[in-house]
Amino acid sequence: MINRLKRAEIEQSQTWDLDSLFSNDNNWQHAYDEFSKQLPKLDAYEGRVTESAKSLLEVLTYQEELQQQIVPIQSYAHLKSAADGTDPNNQELSGKTSRVHSRILRAFAFIEYEIAQLSKDELEQYFNEEPVLREYERFITMCQTNKNHLLSKETEHVLASLSETLQAPYTIYKQSKAADLNFSSFTDDKGNEYPLSQALFEDKYELSSDPSIRRNAFVRFSEGLRNYNHTFASTFAIEVNRQVQESQLRGYSSVIAMLLDDQEVDQDTYHRQINTIYEQLSPHMQRFAKLKKRILGLDEMTFADLKAPLDPNYNPEMSFDEAMDVIKDALQVMGSDYVSMIEKAHEERWVDQADNIGKQTGAFCMSPYGYHPYILLTWTNMMRGTFILAHELGHAGHFYHAYQNQRIGTSRPSKYMIEAPSTMNELLLADHLLKQADSNEMKRFVILSLLGTYYHNFVTHLLEAHFQREVYLLAEENVILTTSKLNELKRETLKGFWEML
């Protein structure tokens, strides 16, 4: 059995290069200290943010400068922690960043409050006097829209000051998952032993063609999670109750209404999406599961078999370098600027592909404003990973180009739209691979890979949303969210969708 490596043992070529942010921690600390000195200067504007069009423009300009200064500081600390959450130094950087973020929210709290007090006539007058204010119109409009949900100026200041404490549940969850959550190795039916991590489970073992590998890995994975059953449940319950209390304090009809308000999405869209997937997609996915059981000759269809490959004898391998070349060819239609970005991502090490102890699981793309994007994933030399890489490069391409043409405050869309560019990349990749395919096996592989994307977007995430909605409804009815209650809700969500399992 090959043991998982520590971060220091990973080859540099498999890691991202953070030098565009900071070349070392000392330079980061210097920038952190300098930024901390700049924040108090904002206090001089308190009480006079909207006394004139000129003062409003000055405040928003300075606020924007501070936002851009903090971007590399927060990004560097987050990326270091994501790469290895067990490193005490990375934990310290993350802690300092969390603390300064709390100070930023406290410093910015009065700006939103004072802008919200302006009348529409006053705003229109200010726009006429200082036309440049139009470039900040989205932020100003959001301040006005949130007016009815703002608390008193003093209360908003206190809540901002306590943001680090109020975000503790999520911080604890992330740190526990990255630094403390470990899984025992497992064996297949031939006695071969395999190391296990969340990344290896999600990106390799649950996709294995060998039932004993899929199922035994699932058992060990579940055992590892169960060791933190009560800790994670309690942490989640605290976070849910915090959100419920805040929504009530701010006068929202529900916590869901508060969360959707920030994304500029109405509740009808939210509920319709969940209900449609849960009720109308379920029969088709159950048919798909039955098809897998029959074709693979399984004795029974278990939850661990849902992602089993339909074509178990065809699972092509592909190196990271080969994958980047394929993606570059597939996305030629996006234009030379886009292809150039992909080349830079490869040559300049924007992607962290290693699997090491302490690394954050899953995949993400962080796009710091004013800098190039960074992508985290775990490369397992499986061609399926090419779709994941193309997906994250879709996020990278979106923000890399948006940031070159938009201000920091207007460059990010609602999360309801944020997956569109990344999913489109996967469709373009699939189209390219199908045209290049020289066998029926490859064509089936591409189609099944797209079904995997569909499964992830419209089954995994929507079932999570269904579960979350049920949790919020119970929390608002003052039901105590115990470990057993949360497990029961999760089971009901899965059972309702996968009735035949």
Side-chain angles (χ1 to χ4, degrees), residues 158-284:
V158 170
L159 288 176
S161 300
L162 292 172
S163 63
E164 184 180 7
T165 301
L166 295 175
Q167 292 168 5
Y170 186 54
T171 301
I172 292 170
Y173 161 73
K174 288 195 302 180
Q175 187 63 23
S176 297
K177 196 167 84 164
D180 296 328
L181 188 57
N182 290 307
F183 302 93
S184 301
S185 60
F186 70 95
T187 57
D188 61 17
D189 58 2
K190 298 182 179 70
N192 299 312
E193 188 175 4
Y194 300 85
L196 181 62
S197 69
Q198 186 162 339
L200 285 172
F201 176 74
E202 293 177 345
D203 298 329
K204 189 171 184 177
Y205 298 140
E206 69 173 345
L207 305 173
S208 174
S209 59
D210 186 332
S212 69
I213 291 179
R214 290 195 309 271
R215 295 174 179 180
N216 294 348
F218 181 80
V219 170
R220 283 287 185 268
F221 184 70
S222 299
E223 289 174 353
L225 293 177
R226 198 172 294 119
N227 290 332
Y228 289 82
N229 204 17
H230 299 292
T231 300
F232 285 158
S234 298
T235 304
F236 180 51
I238 292 171
E239 173 63 13
V240 168
N241 287 325
R242 179 196 69 78
Q243 293 175 345
V244 170
Q245 293 299 320
E246 182 180 352
S247 68
Q248 293 173 351
L249 285 172
R250 294 191 179 281
Y252 285 96
S253 60
S254 66
V255 65
I256 290 174
M258 179 183 74
L259 297 175
L260 292 178
D261 190 39
D262 185 51
Q263 297 303 320
E264 301 175 88
V265 174
D266 63 86
Q267 293 188 62
D268 287 343
T269 300
Y270 167 80
H271 291 298
R272 183 170 63 251
Q273 184 179 28
I274 294 177
N275 293 339
T276 298
I277 297 297
Y278 196 77
E279 296 165 7
Q280 297 184 33
L281 179 62
S282 175
H284 301 289

Side-chain angles (χ1 to χ4, degrees), residues 28-38 73:
W28 179 90
Q29 184 65 53
H30 176 73
Y32 178 91
D33 293 338
E34 289 300 310
F35 178 81
S36 299
K37 295 176 184 177
Q38 299 298 318
I73 296 172

Side-chain angles (χ1 to χ4, degrees), residues 26 84-86 134 212 222 226 301 356 361 412 423 451 466:
N26 289 333
D84 185 3
T86 64
R134 289 286 182 187
S212 69
S222 299
R226 198 172 294 119
M301 189 67 186
N356 58 264
T361 59
R412 298 191 71 86
T423 304
L451 282 173
H466 183 279

Side-chain angles (χ1 to χ4, degrees), residues 142-158:
M142 290 180 65
C143 292
Q144 293 277 301
T145 302
N146 294 336
K147 180 177 181 178
N148 295 332
H149 300 294
L150 288 175
L151 304 175
S152 69
K153 191 174 183 178
E154 293 74 21
T155 304
E156 292 290 351
H157 183 85
V158 170

Side-chain angles (χ1 to χ4, degrees), residues 19 49 90 154 157 241 246 270 315 357 368 382 401:
D19 282 358
V49 172
N90 294 346
E154 293 74 21
H157 183 85
N241 287 325
E246 182 180 352
Y270 167 80
N315 191 17
I357 296 171
M382 312 286 281
H401 291 95

